[in-house]
Amino acid sequence: MGRSVNLTILLGNVGADPEIRYTSTGTPVARFSLATNSQYTDTSTGELKEITSWHNLVMYGKKPADVIQKYVKKGNPLHVVGHIAYRTWTDKDKLKHHHTAIVIDSFTLLGRPTFQMGESAPDPDDGGGTVVVDTDQSSELHEDNPF
């Protein structure tokens, strides 16, 4: 079989504060949604319309989960690079389920990071930051996903 590519690049707004859970081996897993918008022209009216698409995002690892939990909040703009992962499982009632998610390989916080009271304020010259993680996450996504 020839080479293939599974690459997703998204630029959008976070849909809800991230949720952090843990695998059975203690690996933190951050999960949240990202909204992206696209536009098209309605051919019958000539009106410009917008469509919002929602994407399920997942990220593994302590450092990324800590950064996500601390700085990524609902409404924040975010640039994500990752890959699409599909899961299928059968529940206790023998119903088959399917789930599609973007596994984040790296992300860039856009705009100014948020902070909680009592924390030191972020550097005002810091317009964002980049976190890059090891992408060897595929086995955990399929075998031990707490979502």
Side-chain angles (χ1 to χ4, degrees):
M1 180 175 187
R3 292 193 283 190
S4 63
V5 175
N6 180 353
L7 176 67
T8 304
I9 301 171
L10 299 171
L11 177 61
N13 289 28
V14 176
D17 286 352
E19 179 181 358
I20 308 293
R21 292 191 186 173
Y22 296 85
T23 65
S24 61
T25 59
T27 302
V29 181
R31 179 179 178 257
F32 57 99
S33 61
L34 190 77
T36 59
N37 297 315
S38 57
Q39 296 178 338
Y40 72 95
T41 303
D42 185 324
T43 56
S44 62
T45 65
E47 183 182 357
L48 189 61
K49 302 231 176 178
E50 188 170 88
I51 298 173
T52 301
S53 298
W54 290 93
H55 310 277
N56 297 311
L57 305 180
V58 216
M59 188 171 215
Y60 293 88
K62 181 172 177 15
K63 182 178 178 183
D66 288 347
V67 170
I68 286 173
Q69 190 170 39
K70 189 172 183 178
Y71 295 111
V72 176
K73 303 296 180 201
K74 179 180 180 176
N76 288 156
L78 195 66
H79 174 261
V80 171
V81 177
H83 59 277
I84 299 172
Y86 302 98
R87 283 185 62 226
T88 303
W89 71 96
T90 304
D91 67 16
K92 63 183 179 193
D93 298 323
K94 301 193 186 219
L95 293 173
K96 197 170 195 176
H97 297 271
H98 303 276
H99 182 74
T100 303
I102 308 301
V103 178
I104 301 172
D105 297 323
S106 66
F107 66 92
T108 303
L109 301 168
L110 304 174
R112 300 212 183 278
T114 58
F115 63 99
Q116 303 292 326
M117 293 299 289
E119 294 180 344
S120 59
D123 183 343
D125 294 329
D126 183 14
T130 301
V131 175
V132 179
V133 296
D134 186 343
T135 59
D136 186 22
Q137 307 172 27
S138 58
S139 63
E140 288 199 50
L141 176 67
H142 296 289
E143 295 173 12
D144 192 17
N145 189 343
F147 295 99

